[in-house]
Amino acid sequence: MRELAADDVAELINRLMGDEDREPCAAQLDPLVSELTAALARADLPNTVTSSVGTVRLIDYLRANTISVVEFAIGTVGIAQPAAVGEVVRCLAGVLADRFPGRTIEVRVPPYTAVQIGSFTDGPTHTRGTPPNVVEMDAQTFLALALGRQSWLRAVDNGTVRPSGVHADEAARAFPIYRLY
């Protein structure tokens, strides 16, 4: 069943894109995005939907699918729409903060978000001012770590993750956040 669905999606993408370059594809997708935006703005949307894993909240269903689409876009063409990337970064950072509550390490992904997480050992609690333990990275690096496409050590070695503070590298234990496959 899943293979048939994948074949249908691939056929639809091929019909939509063909041999065209980026601009015609974007022009074809714009009305679809507008239609989806209008549908999501309706007041009578259900709070839950039935999915392949059972009944889930609509917002969680949409976020999971947005994560999948952004991962697909980055994996196939190397880039995704900034608004979608921002939504996925904020969503996954929220999951990170929920899973590891605390205020020892601040994980920053400018310009999208910054969240505080707890230490995996005894560490100071940050209350105001500049946090003593900060990890900063760009959105692409955050997504690669969050989705298990890159290791923490490699990201630190190539300078795309910048940890500062005694406990900052403990944040590595929080990744990956979400595995698609």
Side-chain angles (χ1 to χ4, degrees), residues 74-100:
I74 291 171
T76 56
V77 294
I79 193 166
Q81 290 292 325
V85 169
E87 179 62 29
V88 170
V89 166
R90 285 186 292 276
C91 173
L92 291 172
V95 171
L96 184 69
D98 287 346
R99 280 190 192 159
F100 306 99

Side-chain angles (χ1 to χ4, degrees), residues 105 133-135 152-153 156 161 163-173:
I105 306 165
N133 298 289
V134 175
V135 175
W152 181 271
L153 290 175
V156 170
V161 167
S164 171
V166 174
H167 296 277
D169 273 317
E170 290 178 28
R173 294 170 62 183

Side-chain angles (χ1 to χ4, degrees), residues 105-129:
I105 306 165
E106 184 167 287
V107 178
R108 297 177 180 171
V109 187
Y112 299 112
T113 193
V115 296
Q116 292 188 358
I117 63 173
S119 174
F120 293 87
T121 61
D122 290 332
T125 298
H126 169 67
T127 54
R128 61 179 213 210

Side-chain angles (χ1 to χ4, degrees), residues 10-59:
E11 182 180 325
L12 177 62
I13 290 170
N14 285 335
R15 270 190 283 134
L16 179 66
M17 296 179 69
D19 292 329
E20 299 175 4
D21 59 14
R22 183 178 182 170
E23 288 78 24
C25 289
Q28 290 174 350
L29 288 173
D30 282 342
L32 298 173
V33 170
S34 296
E35 183 180 329
L36 179 59
T37 302
L40 292 174
R42 291 184 12 218
D44 63 339
L45 285 175
N47 289 330
T48 61
V49 295
T50 302
S51 75
S52 60
V53 296
T55 302
V56 296
R57 293 184 323 159
L58 177 61
I59 190 67

